[in-house]
Amino acid sequence: MAKTARLAVDITGLPASPRFVPGGAPVEFTVTMRNTGDTDYPLIAPVVRFDQYDGGLAPLGSVAGRLERLDPATGSWQPVFLPQASGMDFLLAATGGAPLPKGATTTIRYRAALDTGLHAGVTELQVYAVAQPANQQAGTAAAKVTIAP
């Protein structure tokens, strides 16, 4: 019988109606990745991004900003690349993966602040679990968010 690969991704900790203000305070959230299958992942890395939208920056409607991940060992926020690529090229931004054996769960705290210049609109905060080194999507989650200058 073949092994089944399954990876569940969740975004939690956002307010009921998540709102990001360009140039405003960062918004914190948590990403949880659970290996619910019977296959071990030797290396999984999350990629967090905002989907493009009509109020974004030219030419692609990108959402520029600052993304940080909490380092639990030091309690400090560390910068993380916030990809702006179109298509699925942003999967190549996956770095710093860790093993995720079957039955295991990993939780990561993030915060994001948006650059000024964005217009009001609605988009998605997206998280992709990326199997490395092949940079293949292994799981995903999205949360609808409002950008309100």
Side-chain angles (χ1 to χ4, degrees):
M1 185 166 152
K3 290 186 175 187
T4 303
R6 290 192 191 114
L7 204 139
V9 181
D10 293 308
I11 303 169
T12 58
L14 287 169
S17 298
R19 182 174 177 250
F20 287 80
V21 177
V27 176
E28 292 187 29
F29 57 95
T30 301
V31 171
T32 302
M33 297 182 293
R34 293 182 316 280
N35 186 344
T36 60
D38 54 9
T39 301
D40 293 330
Y41 284 97
L43 210 54
I44 289 288
V47 172
V48 177
R49 72 181 296 263
F50 289 91
D51 197 15
Q52 298 151 324
Y53 78 112
D54 289 340
L57 303 174
L60 301 173
S62 297
V63 179
R66 182 179 75 253
L67 179 66
E68 296 174 315
R69 179 180 356 204
L70 184 64
D71 180 343
T74 65
S76 64
W77 292 99
Q78 301 299 314
V80 178
F81 180 65
L82 182 62
Q84 301 296 313
S86 61
M88 294 301 283
D89 291 346
F90 60 83
L91 293 179
L92 300 174
T95 59
L100 194 61
K102 57 187 171 191
T105 298
T106 187
T107 300
I108 305 164
R109 287 189 53 206
Y110 288 95
R111 68 181 182 187
L114 303 185
D115 290 350
T116 59
L118 299 168
H119 300 285
V122 176
T123 188
E124 285 185 336
L125 173 67
Q126 301 173 334
V127 177
Y128 290 82
V130 181
Q132 296 180 303
N135 289 321
Q136 294 179 328
Q137 178 181 327
T140 187
K144 183 177 168 181
V145 299
T146 299
I147 297 176

